[in-house]
Amino acid sequence: RKEVEQDPGPFNVPEGATVAFNCTYSNSASQSFFWYRQDCRKEPKLLMSVYSSGNEDGRFTAQLNRASQYISLLIRDSKLSDSATYLCVVTKNSGGSNYKLTFGKGTLLTVNP
Amino acid sequence: SAVISQKPSRDICQRGTSLTIQCQVDSQVTMMFWYRQQPGQSLTLIATANQGSEATYESGFVIDKFPISRPNLTFSTLTVSNMSPEDSSIYLCSVGPSGIGELFFGEGSRLTVL
């Protein structure tokens, strides 16, 4: 089983739609969780952190279920500018104060007019 | 935040040659990270570069193939040695100055090996 697995996509949705991405991780010792966004031919950028209590930032909501080792990202009222690849990221301690980030393969979202 | 300049942005190289990628950060950071992103694949950590010590390589990556320099707290280089077409990829430099999870990436170096 891969360390981080995501919906393979691609997702094609109309503007205004609600879309949800799922991610599972295999290491129960994982400590922190994030969603990154990567635009075409660009570098990844942090979108938001994911907490057990949930995290909402405008149209974006991230959820973590530690028992199921599952992370989700919900995008409401999709905009054309939301078109990108969304990367699920999991961290674990790699010794001392160092952490290792493991990236999922990403889910491609295309929002259509 | 951190601003990272990476160069070259892209290059086309011949099999058997080597290419050195440079990464410059606008602030001092303890650790710099080198990632590879192959087409359709996730980002894979190659190594962690610490100033003043040897880089720490991840499983599947060795110093002879990917030598790294870290001469100071704002600069690092990654060399891809004796390249083959399988090395065609995007190579990304990153730093995480503000704690776990939030990495800032350079724009990447897109390498094509013929």
Side-chain angles (χ1 to χ4, degrees), chain A residues 32 34 36 38 41-44 46 87 91 97-101 103-105, chain B residues 10 31 35 37 40-43 45 58 92 100-103 105-107 110:
Chain A
S32 301
F34 306 88
Y36 276 68
Q38 186 172 23
R41 296 185 174 269
K42 295 288 189 180
E43 73 276 19
L46 179 66
L87 305 169
T91 74
S97 60
N98 299 324
Y99 291 83
K100 178 181 175 182
L101 277 68
F103 287 77
K105 290 176 71 170
Chain B
R10 59 179 62 239
M31 292 190 290
Y35 283 85
Q37 188 174 30
Q41 301 298 315
S42 60
L43 278 79
L45 181 63
E58 297 298 307
L92 296 133
I100 62 169
E102 184 172 16
L103 290 183
F105 288 87
E107 292 186 342
R110 185 179 295 271

PDB file of all heavy atoms in Angstrom, chain A residues 32 34 36 38 41-44 46 87 91 97-101 103-105, chain B residues 10 31 35 37 40-43 45 58 92 100-103 105-107 110:
ATOM      1  N   SER A  32       1.159  15.304  10.818  1.00  0.00           N
ATOM      2  CA  SER A  32       0.527  16.515  10.300  1.00  0.00           C
ATOM      3  C   SER A  32       0.095  16.271   8.860  1.00  0.00           C
ATOM      4  O   SER A  32       0.675  15.449   8.158  1.00  0.00           O
ATOM      5  CB  SER A  32       1.496  17.699  10.357  1.00  0.00           C
ATOM      6  OG  SER A  32       1.909  17.929  11.677  1.00  0.00           O
ATOM      7  N   PHE A  34      -1.687  18.099   5.165  1.00  0.00           N
ATOM      8  CA  PHE A  34      -1.837  19.342   4.423  1.00  0.00           C
ATOM      9  C   PHE A  34      -2.394  19.056   3.033  1.00  0.00           C
ATOM     10  O   PHE A  34      -2.234  17.962   2.496  1.00  0.00           O
ATOM     11  CB  PHE A  34      -0.470  20.042   4.263  1.00  0.00           C
ATOM     12  CG  PHE A  34       0.235  20.266   5.573  1.00  0.00           C
ATOM     13  CD1 PHE A  34       1.062  19.291   6.115  1.00  0.00           C
ATOM     14  CD2 PHE A  34       0.065  21.452   6.266  1.00  0.00           C
ATOM     15  CE1 PHE A  34       1.709  19.489   7.325  1.00  0.00           C
ATOM     16  CE2 PHE A  34       0.712  21.658   7.478  1.00  0.00           C
ATOM     17  CZ  PHE A  34       1.523  20.666   8.006  1.00  0.00           C
ATOM     18  N   TYR A  36      -1.819  20.761  -0.707  1.00  0.00           N
ATOM     19  CA  TYR A  36      -1.080  21.691  -1.544  1.00  0.00           C
ATOM     20  C   TYR A  36      -1.799  21.788  -2.889  1.00  0.00           C
ATOM     21  O   TYR A  36      -2.497  20.873  -3.315  1.00  0.00           O
ATOM     22  CB  TYR A  36       0.355  21.197  -1.790  1.00  0.00           C
ATOM     23  CG  TYR A  36       1.348  21.551  -0.703  1.00  0.00           C
ATOM     24  CD1 TYR A  36       1.268  20.980   0.559  1.00  0.00           C
ATOM     25  CD2 TYR A  36       2.371  22.453  -0.958  1.00  0.00           C
ATOM     26  CE1 TYR A  36       2.178  21.320   1.546  1.00  0.00           C
ATOM     27  CE2 TYR A  36       3.296  22.791   0.022  1.00  0.00           C
ATOM     28  CZ  TYR A  36       3.189  22.209   1.268  1.00  0.00           C
ATOM     29  OH  TYR A  36       4.101  22.544   2.243  1.00  0.00           O
ATOM     30  N   GLN A  38      -1.047  22.680  -7.017  1.00  0.00           N
ATOM     31  CA  GLN A  38      -0.005  22.845  -8.031  1.00  0.00           C
ATOM     32  C   GLN A  38      -0.656  23.198  -9.352  1.00  0.00           C
ATOM     33  O   GLN A  38      -1.385  22.382  -9.937  1.00  0.00           O
ATOM     34  CB  GLN A  38       0.846  21.583  -8.174  1.00  0.00           C
ATOM     35  CG  GLN A  38       2.028  21.756  -9.117  1.00  0.00           C
ATOM     36  CD  GLN A  38       2.982  20.572  -9.100  1.00  0.00           C
ATOM     37  OE1 GLN A  38       2.610  19.455  -8.740  1.00  0.00           O
ATOM     38  NE2 GLN A  38       4.235  20.806  -9.483  1.00  0.00           N
ATOM     39  N   ARG A  41       2.515  23.362 -14.723  1.00  0.00           N
ATOM     40  CA  ARG A  41       3.887  23.824 -14.966  1.00  0.00           C
ATOM     41  C   ARG A  41       4.378  24.827 -13.924  1.00  0.00           C
ATOM     42  O   ARG A  41       5.249  25.644 -14.210  1.00  0.00           O
ATOM     43  CB  ARG A  41       4.018  24.399 -16.372  1.00  0.00           C
ATOM     44  CG  ARG A  41       3.788  23.347 -17.451  1.00  0.00           C
ATOM     45  CD  ARG A  41       4.025  23.882 -18.833  1.00  0.00           C
ATOM     46  NE  ARG A  41       3.947  22.824 -19.825  1.00  0.00           N
ATOM     47  CZ  ARG A  41       4.989  22.108 -20.228  1.00  0.00           C
ATOM     48  NH1 ARG A  41       6.183  22.345 -19.734  1.00  0.00           N
ATOM     49  NH2 ARG A  41       4.854  21.160 -21.125  1.00  0.00           N
ATOM     50  N   LYS A  42       3.816  24.720 -12.732  1.00  0.00           N
ATOM     51  CA  LYS A  42       4.239  25.581 -11.636  1.00  0.00           C
ATOM     52  C   LYS A  42       4.637  24.725 -10.435  1.00  0.00           C
ATOM     53  O   LYS A  42       4.404  23.518 -10.423  1.00  0.00           O
ATOM     54  CB  LYS A  42       3.108  26.523 -11.221  1.00  0.00           C
ATOM     55  CG  LYS A  42       2.717  27.529 -12.292  1.00  0.00           C
ATOM     56  CD  LYS A  42       3.777  28.576 -12.450  1.00  0.00           C
ATOM     57  CE  LYS A  42       3.289  29.694 -13.363  1.00  0.00           C
ATOM     58  NZ  LYS A  42       4.333  30.749 -13.527  1.00  0.00           N
ATOM     59  N   GLU A  43       5.230  25.371  -9.446  1.00  0.00           N
ATOM     60  CA  GLU A  43       5.617  24.648  -8.248  1.00  0.00           C
ATOM     61  C   GLU A  43       4.417  24.484  -7.310  1.00  0.00           C
ATOM     62  O   GLU A  43       3.482  25.267  -7.340  1.00  0.00           O
ATOM     63  CB  GLU A  43       6.770  25.377  -7.531  1.00  0.00           C
ATOM     64  CG  GLU A  43       6.362  26.654  -6.817  1.00  0.00           C
ATOM     65  CD  GLU A  43       6.325  27.870  -7.716  1.00  0.00           C
ATOM     66  OE1 GLU A  43       6.264  27.723  -8.958  1.00  0.00           O
ATOM     67  OE2 GLU A  43       6.362  28.984  -7.158  1.00  0.00           O
ATOM     68  N   PRO A  44       4.455  23.479  -6.432  1.00  0.00           N
ATOM     69  CA  PRO A  44       3.374  23.323  -5.449  1.00  0.00           C
ATOM     70  C   PRO A  44       3.388  24.456  -4.430  1.00  0.00           C
ATOM     71  O   PRO A  44       4.451  24.971  -4.064  1.00  0.00           O
ATOM     72  CB  PRO A  44       3.713  21.992  -4.762  1.00  0.00           C
ATOM     73  CG  PRO A  44       4.714  21.324  -5.634  1.00  0.00           C
ATOM     74  CD  PRO A  44       5.457  22.407  -6.326  1.00  0.00           C
ATOM     75  N   LEU A  46       1.341  25.641  -0.627  1.00  0.00           N
ATOM     76  CA  LEU A  46       0.467  25.222   0.453  1.00  0.00           C
ATOM     77  C   LEU A  46      -0.909  25.846   0.300  1.00  0.00           C
ATOM     78  O   LEU A  46      -1.034  27.061   0.154  1.00  0.00           O
ATOM     79  CB  LEU A  46       1.063  25.605   1.807  1.00  0.00           C
ATOM     80  CG  LEU A  46       0.222  25.252   3.025  1.00  0.00           C
ATOM     81  CD1 LEU A  46       0.111  23.739   3.185  1.00  0.00           C
ATOM     82  CD2 LEU A  46       0.826  25.874   4.287  1.00  0.00           C
ATOM     83  N   LEU A  87      -2.650  18.262  -4.128  1.00  0.00           N
ATOM     84  CA  LEU A  87      -1.746  17.259  -3.565  1.00  0.00           C
ATOM     85  C   LEU A  87      -2.021  17.075  -2.081  1.00  0.00           C
ATOM     86  O   LEU A  87      -2.041  18.041  -1.317  1.00  0.00           O
ATOM     87  CB  LEU A  87      -0.288  17.696  -3.747  1.00  0.00           C
ATOM     88  CG  LEU A  87       0.157  18.036  -5.176  1.00  0.00           C
ATOM     89  CD1 LEU A  87       1.524  18.704  -5.149  1.00  0.00           C
ATOM     90  CD2 LEU A  87       0.214  16.774  -6.014  1.00  0.00           C
ATOM     91  N   THR A  91       2.995  14.265   6.976  1.00  0.00           N
ATOM     92  CA  THR A  91       4.335  14.357   7.546  1.00  0.00           C
ATOM     93  C   THR A  91       4.484  13.381   8.712  1.00  0.00           C
ATOM     94  O   THR A  91       3.525  13.030   9.387  1.00  0.00           O
ATOM     95  CB  THR A  91       4.655  15.774   8.070  1.00  0.00           C
ATOM     96  OG1 THR A  91       3.936  15.990   9.288  1.00  0.00           O
ATOM     97  CG2 THR A  91       4.266  16.824   7.062  1.00  0.00           C
ATOM     98  N   SER A  97      14.172  16.925  15.553  1.00  0.00           N
ATOM     99  CA  SER A  97      13.148  17.907  15.198  1.00  0.00           C
ATOM    100  C   SER A  97      12.870  17.909  13.697  1.00  0.00           C
ATOM    101  O   SER A  97      12.261  18.839  13.168  1.00  0.00           O
ATOM    102  CB  SER A  97      13.599  19.299  15.646  1.00  0.00           C
ATOM    103  OG  SER A  97      14.819  19.634  15.001  1.00  0.00           O
ATOM    104  N   ASN A  98      13.329  16.884  13.005  1.00  0.00           N
ATOM    105  CA  ASN A  98      13.164  16.825  11.560  1.00  0.00           C
ATOM    106  C   ASN A  98      11.908  16.065  11.178  1.00  0.00           C
ATOM    107  O   ASN A  98      11.532  15.086  11.832  1.00  0.00           O
ATOM    108  CB  ASN A  98      14.380  16.153  10.927  1.00  0.00           C
ATOM    109  CG  ASN A  98      15.656  16.918  11.205  1.00  0.00           C
ATOM    110  OD1 ASN A  98      15.659  18.137  11.250  1.00  0.00           O
ATOM    111  ND2 ASN A  98      16.741  16.202  11.432  1.00  0.00           N
ATOM    112  N   TYR A  99      11.275  16.513  10.107  1.00  0.00           N
ATOM    113  CA  TYR A  99      10.069  15.884   9.622  1.00  0.00           C
ATOM    114  C   TYR A  99      10.214  15.579   8.146  1.00  0.00           C
ATOM    115  O   TYR A  99      10.857  16.311   7.405  1.00  0.00           O
ATOM    116  CB  TYR A  99       8.858  16.796   9.854  1.00  0.00           C
ATOM    117  CG  TYR A  99       8.520  16.934  11.306  1.00  0.00           C
ATOM    118  CD1 TYR A  99       9.195  17.843  12.110  1.00  0.00           C
ATOM    119  CD2 TYR A  99       7.564  16.127  11.895  1.00  0.00           C
ATOM    120  CE1 TYR A  99       8.911  17.954  13.452  1.00  0.00           C
ATOM    121  CE2 TYR A  99       7.263  16.233  13.237  1.00  0.00           C
ATOM    122  CZ  TYR A  99       7.937  17.144  14.017  1.00  0.00           C
ATOM    123  OH  TYR A  99       7.663  17.252  15.348  1.00  0.00           O
ATOM    124  N   LYS A 100       9.573  14.505   7.743  1.00  0.00           N
ATOM    125  CA  LYS A 100       9.599  14.136   6.340  1.00  0.00           C
ATOM    126  C   LYS A 100       8.197  14.269   5.770  1.00  0.00           C
ATOM    127  O   LYS A 100       7.240  13.781   6.365  1.00  0.00           O
ATOM    128  CB  LYS A 100      10.090  12.701   6.159  1.00  0.00           C
ATOM    129  CG  LYS A 100      10.093  12.245   4.717  1.00  0.00           C
ATOM    130  CD  LYS A 100      10.555  10.808   4.589  1.00  0.00           C
ATOM    131  CE  LYS A 100      10.433  10.351   3.145  1.00  0.00           C
ATOM    132  NZ  LYS A 100      10.840   8.933   2.984  1.00  0.00           N
ATOM    133  N   LEU A 101       8.097  14.951   4.639  1.00  0.00           N
ATOM    134  CA  LEU A 101       6.818  15.108   3.957  1.00  0.00           C
ATOM    135  C   LEU A 101       6.694  14.067   2.862  1.00  0.00           C
ATOM    136  O   LEU A 101       7.631  13.846   2.083  1.00  0.00           O
ATOM    137  CB  LEU A 101       6.724  16.496   3.325  1.00  0.00           C
ATOM    138  CG  LEU A 101       6.280  17.654   4.225  1.00  0.00           C
ATOM    139  CD1 LEU A 101       7.336  17.960   5.271  1.00  0.00           C
ATOM    140  CD2 LEU A 101       5.964  18.881   3.391  1.00  0.00           C
ATOM    141  N   PHE A 103       4.237  13.156  -0.351  1.00  0.00           N
ATOM    142  CA  PHE A 103       3.219  13.722  -1.226  1.00  0.00           C
ATOM    143  C   PHE A 103       2.438  12.620  -1.930  1.00  0.00           C
ATOM    144  O   PHE A 103       3.002  11.616  -2.366  1.00  0.00           O
ATOM    145  CB  PHE A 103       3.880  14.598  -2.299  1.00  0.00           C
ATOM    146  CG  PHE A 103       4.414  15.902  -1.788  1.00  0.00           C
ATOM    147  CD1 PHE A 103       5.610  15.959  -1.089  1.00  0.00           C
ATOM    148  CD2 PHE A 103       3.728  17.081  -2.014  1.00  0.00           C
ATOM    149  CE1 PHE A 103       6.108  17.167  -0.622  1.00  0.00           C
ATOM    150  CE2 PHE A 103       4.219  18.300  -1.555  1.00  0.00           C
ATOM    151  CZ  PHE A 103       5.407  18.334  -0.852  1.00  0.00           C
ATOM    152  N   GLY A 104       1.139  12.839  -2.066  1.00  0.00           N
ATOM    153  CA  GLY A 104       0.344  11.998  -2.958  1.00  0.00           C
ATOM    154  C   GLY A 104       0.604  12.379  -4.402  1.00  0.00           C
ATOM    155  O   GLY A 104       1.257  13.395  -4.682  1.00  0.00           O
ATOM    156  N   LYS A 105       0.079  11.581  -5.328  1.00  0.00           N
ATOM    157  CA  LYS A 105       0.297  11.851  -6.754  1.00  0.00           C
ATOM    158  C   LYS A 105      -0.507  13.034  -7.248  1.00  0.00           C
ATOM    159  O   LYS A 105      -0.233  13.578  -8.304  1.00  0.00           O
ATOM    160  CB  LYS A 105      -0.034  10.614  -7.579  1.00  0.00           C
ATOM    161  CG  LYS A 105       0.961   9.482  -7.398  1.00  0.00           C
ATOM    162  CD  LYS A 105       0.545   8.236  -8.167  1.00  0.00           C
ATOM    163  CE  LYS A 105       0.687   8.410  -9.650  1.00  0.00           C
ATOM    164  NZ  LYS A 105       0.494   7.109 -10.360  1.00  0.00           N
TER     165      LYS A 105
ATOM    166  N   ARG B  10      14.973  25.251 -17.305  1.00  0.00           N
ATOM    167  CA  ARG B  10      14.826  24.068 -18.131  1.00  0.00           C
ATOM    168  C   ARG B  10      16.122  23.840 -18.898  1.00  0.00           C
ATOM    169  O   ARG B  10      16.916  24.773 -19.098  1.00  0.00           O
ATOM    170  CB  ARG B  10      13.667  24.188 -19.106  1.00  0.00           C
ATOM    171  CG  ARG B  10      13.773  25.353 -20.064  1.00  0.00           C
ATOM    172  CD  ARG B  10      12.610  25.402 -21.031  1.00  0.00           C
ATOM    173  NE  ARG B  10      11.342  25.582 -20.341  1.00  0.00           N
ATOM    174  CZ  ARG B  10      10.336  24.714 -20.423  1.00  0.00           C
ATOM    175  NH1 ARG B  10      10.451  23.620 -21.148  1.00  0.00           N
ATOM    176  NH2 ARG B  10       9.213  24.942 -19.788  1.00  0.00           N
ATOM    177  N   MET B  31      17.750  23.875   6.719  1.00  0.00           N
ATOM    178  CA  MET B  31      17.655  22.733   5.804  1.00  0.00           C
ATOM    179  C   MET B  31      17.055  23.158   4.465  1.00  0.00           C
ATOM    180  O   MET B  31      16.132  23.964   4.409  1.00  0.00           O
ATOM    181  CB  MET B  31      16.806  21.629   6.423  1.00  0.00           C
ATOM    182  CG  MET B  31      17.450  20.962   7.634  1.00  0.00           C
ATOM    183  SD  MET B  31      16.573  19.491   8.169  1.00  0.00           S
ATOM    184  CE  MET B  31      15.075  20.227   8.815  1.00  0.00           C
ATOM    185  N   TYR B  35      13.683  17.818  -4.375  1.00  0.00           N
ATOM    186  CA  TYR B  35      12.651  16.875  -4.785  1.00  0.00           C
ATOM    187  C   TYR B  35      12.752  16.613  -6.277  1.00  0.00           C
ATOM    188  O   TYR B  35      13.238  17.441  -7.050  1.00  0.00           O
ATOM    189  CB  TYR B  35      11.256  17.434  -4.487  1.00  0.00           C
ATOM    190  CG  TYR B  35      10.821  17.362  -3.049  1.00  0.00           C
ATOM    191  CD1 TYR B  35      11.181  18.350  -2.134  1.00  0.00           C
ATOM    192  CD2 TYR B  35      10.025  16.313  -2.596  1.00  0.00           C
ATOM    193  CE1 TYR B  35      10.773  18.293  -0.813  1.00  0.00           C
ATOM    194  CE2 TYR B  35       9.604  16.250  -1.277  1.00  0.00           C
ATOM    195  CZ  TYR B  35       9.979  17.236  -0.390  1.00  0.00           C
ATOM    196  OH  TYR B  35       9.559  17.180   0.916  1.00  0.00           O
ATOM    197  N   GLN B  37      10.085  15.390  -9.465  1.00  0.00           N
ATOM    198  CA  GLN B  37       8.707  15.113  -9.864  1.00  0.00           C
ATOM    199  C   GLN B  37       8.723  14.606 -11.294  1.00  0.00           C
ATOM    200  O   GLN B  37       8.872  15.384 -12.236  1.00  0.00           O
ATOM    201  CB  GLN B  37       7.827  16.353  -9.733  1.00  0.00           C
ATOM    202  CG  GLN B  37       6.352  16.068  -9.962  1.00  0.00           C
ATOM    203  CD  GLN B  37       5.467  17.261  -9.681  1.00  0.00           C
ATOM    204  OE1 GLN B  37       5.865  18.406  -9.845  1.00  0.00           O
ATOM    205  NE2 GLN B  37       4.230  17.006  -9.251  1.00  0.00           N
ATOM    206  N   GLY B  40       3.524  12.627 -14.210  1.00  0.00           N
ATOM    207  CA  GLY B  40       2.424  11.850 -13.670  1.00  0.00           C
ATOM    208  C   GLY B  40       2.678  11.237 -12.307  1.00  0.00           C
ATOM    209  O   GLY B  40       1.878  10.427 -11.834  1.00  0.00           O
ATOM    210  N   GLN B  41       3.763  11.639 -11.675  1.00  0.00           N
ATOM    211  CA  GLN B  41       4.116  11.047 -10.386  1.00  0.00           C
ATOM    212  C   GLN B  41       4.093  12.091  -9.281  1.00  0.00           C
ATOM    213  O   GLN B  41       4.050  13.292  -9.535  1.00  0.00           O
ATOM    214  CB  GLN B  41       5.511  10.411 -10.462  1.00  0.00           C
ATOM    215  CG  GLN B  41       5.644   9.318 -11.504  1.00  0.00           C
ATOM    216  CD  GLN B  41       4.733   8.149 -11.226  1.00  0.00           C
ATOM    217  OE1 GLN B  41       4.620   7.676 -10.099  1.00  0.00           O
ATOM    218  NE2 GLN B  41       4.040   7.681 -12.251  1.00  0.00           N
ATOM    219  N   SER B  42       4.149  11.612  -8.064  1.00  0.00           N
ATOM    220  CA  SER B  42       4.196  12.528  -6.920  1.00  0.00           C
ATOM    221  C   SER B  42       5.607  13.068  -6.740  1.00  0.00           C
ATOM    222  O   SER B  42       6.559  12.558  -7.326  1.00  0.00           O
ATOM    223  CB  SER B  42       3.747  11.804  -5.662  1.00  0.00           C
ATOM    224  OG  SER B  42       4.594  10.696  -5.408  1.00  0.00           O
ATOM    225  N   LEU B  43       5.704  14.088  -5.941  1.00  0.00           N
ATOM    226  CA  LEU B  43       7.029  14.609  -5.588  1.00  0.00           C
ATOM    227  C   LEU B  43       7.729  13.584  -4.709  1.00  0.00           C
ATOM    228  O   LEU B  43       7.157  13.068  -3.756  1.00  0.00           O
ATOM    229  CB  LEU B  43       6.911  15.913  -4.817  1.00  0.00           C
ATOM    230  CG  LEU B  43       6.714  17.181  -5.630  1.00  0.00           C
ATOM    231  CD1 LEU B  43       5.272  17.320  -6.079  1.00  0.00           C
ATOM    232  CD2 LEU B  43       7.153  18.398  -4.838  1.00  0.00           C
ATOM    233  N   LEU B  45      11.209  12.972  -2.431  1.00  0.00           N
ATOM    234  CA  LEU B  45      12.363  13.622  -1.809  1.00  0.00           C
ATOM    235  C   LEU B  45      13.636  12.893  -2.206  1.00  0.00           C
ATOM    236  O   LEU B  45      13.735  11.673  -2.020  1.00  0.00           O
ATOM    237  CB  LEU B  45      12.202  13.635  -0.290  1.00  0.00           C
ATOM    238  CG  LEU B  45      13.312  14.297   0.510  1.00  0.00           C
ATOM    239  CD1 LEU B  45      13.421  15.789   0.171  1.00  0.00           C
ATOM    240  CD2 LEU B  45      13.087  14.102   2.006  1.00  0.00           C
ATOM    241  N   GLU B  58      17.627   9.970   0.567  1.00  0.00           N
ATOM    242  CA  GLU B  58      16.519   9.044   0.746  1.00  0.00           C
ATOM    243  C   GLU B  58      16.824   7.729   0.037  1.00  0.00           C
ATOM    244  O   GLU B  58      17.708   7.652  -0.839  1.00  0.00           O
ATOM    245  CB  GLU B  58      15.232   9.639   0.191  1.00  0.00           C
ATOM    246  CG  GLU B  58      14.793  10.904   0.913  1.00  0.00           C
ATOM    247  CD  GLU B  58      14.495  10.651   2.386  1.00  0.00           C
ATOM    248  OE1 GLU B  58      13.695   9.741   2.687  1.00  0.00           O
ATOM    249  OE2 GLU B  58      15.045  11.389   3.227  1.00  0.00           O
ATOM    250  N   LEU B  92      13.029  20.071  -8.010  1.00  0.00           N
ATOM    251  CA  LEU B  92      12.562  21.219  -7.232  1.00  0.00           C
ATOM    252  C   LEU B  92      13.360  21.362  -5.943  1.00  0.00           C
ATOM    253  O   LEU B  92      13.574  20.384  -5.220  1.00  0.00           O
ATOM    254  CB  LEU B  92      11.088  21.048  -6.873  1.00  0.00           C
ATOM    255  CG  LEU B  92      10.119  21.033  -8.056  1.00  0.00           C
ATOM    256  CD1 LEU B  92       9.146  19.888  -7.943  1.00  0.00           C
ATOM    257  CD2 LEU B  92       9.358  22.345  -8.114  1.00  0.00           C
ATOM    258  N   ILE B 100       6.968  22.532  10.462  1.00  0.00           N
ATOM    259  CA  ILE B 100       6.653  21.344   9.680  1.00  0.00           C
ATOM    260  C   ILE B 100       5.493  21.600   8.734  1.00  0.00           C
ATOM    261  O   ILE B 100       4.563  22.323   9.049  1.00  0.00           O
ATOM    262  CB  ILE B 100       6.326  20.148  10.591  1.00  0.00           C
ATOM    263  CG1 ILE B 100       5.089  20.441  11.451  1.00  0.00           C
ATOM    264  CG2 ILE B 100       7.520  19.819  11.460  1.00  0.00           C
ATOM    265  CD1 ILE B 100       4.582  19.217  12.161  1.00  0.00           C
ATOM    266  N   GLY B 101       5.586  20.984   7.574  1.00  0.00           N
ATOM    267  CA  GLY B 101       4.462  20.956   6.654  1.00  0.00           C
ATOM    268  C   GLY B 101       4.435  22.049   5.623  1.00  0.00           C
ATOM    269  O   GLY B 101       4.024  21.811   4.499  1.00  0.00           O
ATOM    270  N   GLU B 102       4.839  23.247   5.970  1.00  0.00           N
ATOM    271  CA  GLU B 102       4.764  24.308   4.994  1.00  0.00           C
ATOM    272  C   GLU B 102       6.106  24.439   4.297  1.00  0.00           C
ATOM    273  O   GLU B 102       7.073  24.966   4.858  1.00  0.00           O
ATOM    274  CB  GLU B 102       4.370  25.642   5.590  1.00  0.00           C
ATOM    275  CG  GLU B 102       4.212  26.724   4.519  1.00  0.00           C
ATOM    276  CD  GLU B 102       3.647  28.011   5.029  1.00  0.00           C
ATOM    277  OE1 GLU B 102       3.640  28.210   6.265  1.00  0.00           O
ATOM    278  OE2 GLU B 102       3.212  28.826   4.195  1.00  0.00           O
ATOM    279  N   LEU B 103       6.161  23.966   3.080  1.00  0.00           N
ATOM    280  CA  LEU B 103       7.353  24.085   2.256  1.00  0.00           C
ATOM    281  C   LEU B 103       7.136  25.147   1.191  1.00  0.00           C
ATOM    282  O   LEU B 103       6.038  25.273   0.644  1.00  0.00           O
ATOM    283  CB  LEU B 103       7.686  22.765   1.570  1.00  0.00           C
ATOM    284  CG  LEU B 103       8.198  21.608   2.426  1.00  0.00           C
ATOM    285  CD1 LEU B 103       8.531  20.422   1.547  1.00  0.00           C
ATOM    286  CD2 LEU B 103       9.401  22.026   3.239  1.00  0.00           C
ATOM    287  N   PHE B 105       8.630  26.247  -2.481  1.00  0.00           N
ATOM    288  CA  PHE B 105       9.365  25.622  -3.575  1.00  0.00           C
ATOM    289  C   PHE B 105       9.895  26.659  -4.553  1.00  0.00           C
ATOM    290  O   PHE B 105       9.280  27.699  -4.779  1.00  0.00           O
ATOM    291  CB  PHE B 105       8.449  24.671  -4.347  1.00  0.00           C
ATOM    292  CG  PHE B 105       8.112  23.405  -3.612  1.00  0.00           C
ATOM    293  CD1 PHE B 105       7.049  23.358  -2.740  1.00  0.00           C
ATOM    294  CD2 PHE B 105       8.864  22.253  -3.802  1.00  0.00           C
ATOM    295  CE1 PHE B 105       6.725  22.195  -2.062  1.00  0.00           C
ATOM    296  CE2 PHE B 105       8.561  21.079  -3.128  1.00  0.00           C
ATOM    297  CZ  PHE B 105       7.488  21.049  -2.265  1.00  0.00           C
ATOM    298  N   GLY B 106      11.031  26.325  -5.137  1.00  0.00           N
ATOM    299  CA  GLY B 106      11.454  27.055  -6.315  1.00  0.00           C
ATOM    300  C   GLY B 106      10.567  26.666  -7.479  1.00  0.00           C
ATOM    301  O   GLY B 106       9.752  25.735  -7.390  1.00  0.00           O
ATOM    302  N   GLU B 107      10.730  27.352  -8.592  1.00  0.00           N
ATOM    303  CA  GLU B 107       9.862  27.098  -9.746  1.00  0.00           C
ATOM    304  C   GLU B 107      10.205  25.814 -10.471  1.00  0.00           C
ATOM    305  O   GLU B 107       9.491  25.404 -11.369  1.00  0.00           O
ATOM    306  CB  GLU B 107       9.903  28.291 -10.697  1.00  0.00           C
ATOM    307  CG  GLU B 107       9.265  29.535 -10.100  1.00  0.00           C
ATOM    308  CD  GLU B 107       9.180  30.668 -11.100  1.00  0.00           C
ATOM    309  OE1 GLU B 107       9.893  30.628 -12.120  1.00  0.00           O
ATOM    310  OE2 GLU B 107       8.399  31.606 -10.861  1.00  0.00           O
ATOM    311  N   ARG B 110      13.219  21.925 -15.239  1.00  0.00           N
ATOM    312  CA  ARG B 110      12.681  20.863 -16.101  1.00  0.00           C
ATOM    313  C   ARG B 110      13.804  20.322 -16.966  1.00  0.00           C
ATOM    314  O   ARG B 110      14.337  21.020 -17.832  1.00  0.00           O
ATOM    315  CB  ARG B 110      11.544  21.413 -16.955  1.00  0.00           C
ATOM    316  CG  ARG B 110      10.834  20.373 -17.802  1.00  0.00           C
ATOM    317  CD  ARG B 110       9.705  21.036 -18.603  1.00  0.00           C
ATOM    318  NE  ARG B 110       8.668  21.561 -17.740  1.00  0.00           N
ATOM    319  CZ  ARG B 110       7.611  20.881 -17.315  1.00  0.00           C
ATOM    320  NH1 ARG B 110       7.441  19.628 -17.716  1.00  0.00           N
ATOM    321  NH2 ARG B 110       6.708  21.439 -16.537  1.00  0.00           N
TER     322      ARG B 110
END
